[in-house]
Every structure is written in structure tokens, then in C-alpha cells.
Amino acid sequence: MTTIMYGIPNCDTIKKAQKWLNDNNIPFTFHDYRKDGLDNELLTQLYVTSSWDQLLNKRSTSYRALTEQQKETLDETTVRPLFIEFPTLIKRPVVIHQGNAIVGFNIKSYQQFFAV
């Protein structure tokens, strides 16, 4: 089964995760939200492996740009169109490997997730 990394290419965290995967000889494909798209179908697939609140990047500029009302009313339904419009609201990277997902990048977590 293939490993897929989702994110945007100019993100420093993406670059660190890609380097780690390459250094550990873990083949992967990269899905660029901006180039390859992010739609309801892909978001539904991501929701199968991670909850919307795990995916939400509260440290992003996009999140800080939301109104207080938007932030207070966020739930699985209201965040969906925001994720599609502003993919940077999603923590990076999201990596799907053998049907499981890991969100963000941390060396120890990756070592455990990939059993390296």
C-alpha cells in the first residue's frame, strides 16, 4: 500500500517530514492541496482517519484570520467549506500509510508510526 503525504510544498514542516521519509527509505507520493486539489471527496477520506479537530491548525495565519464567530461555531460541518477554501487551515503534513494517518511531524512519532 502506498504512503501519501498531503500538504503544501513550501511548508517547512512538510520539507522536514519529506526529508525524514527519504532518509528512512519510505517511498511516498505528495499531494499538493493547491496543485492537486482539495475537495469534499478527499476531505471525507481524511475524516475517516482523523477527526476535523485533529486536522484543524489553530496556529495558522488562516485560522487567526477567521472571525470570532467562525471560530466559536466550528464543527465538522462548518469547517468543511473552510478547509476547502483555505487548505492551510489543515495541519501539515497529513500522512496516510496502510490506512492509518499521522498529522503533523515529530521524529519520535514518525519512528513509532512507521516502526523504524
Side-chain angles (χ1 to χ4, degrees), residues 2 16 21 37 40 43 45 52 62 73-74 81:
T2 203
K16 289 175 190 174
L21 290 173
N40 275 314
L43 211 44
Q45 291 174 7
W52 71 270
S62 299
T73 59
L74 284 178

Side-chain angles (χ1 to χ4, degrees), residues 1-6 21 26-31 95-101 113-114:
M1 188 171 239
T2 203
T3 300
I4 305 171
M5 177 183 291
Y6 296 91
L21 290 173
I26 299 169
F28 67 95
T29 57
F30 181 71
H31 181 101
V95 175
I96 309 291
H97 176 72
Q98 297 181 348
N100 296 310
F113 184 75
F114 290 100

Side-chain angles (χ1 to χ4, degrees), residues 8 11 13 51-66 71 74 79 83 86-93 103-104:
I8 56 175
C11 171
T13 307
S51 66
W52 71 270
D53 54 335
Q54 288 176 309
L55 294 171
L56 182 62
N57 183 359
K58 290 186 176 181
R59 294 173 51 190
S60 72
T61 304
S62 299
Y63 180 80
R64 291 191 299 263
L66 297 177
K71 291 176 187 175
L74 284 178
V79 79
F83 278 159
F86 308 107
T88 54
L89 277 172
I90 300 174
K91 285 182 187 171
R92 297 178 299 274
V103 180

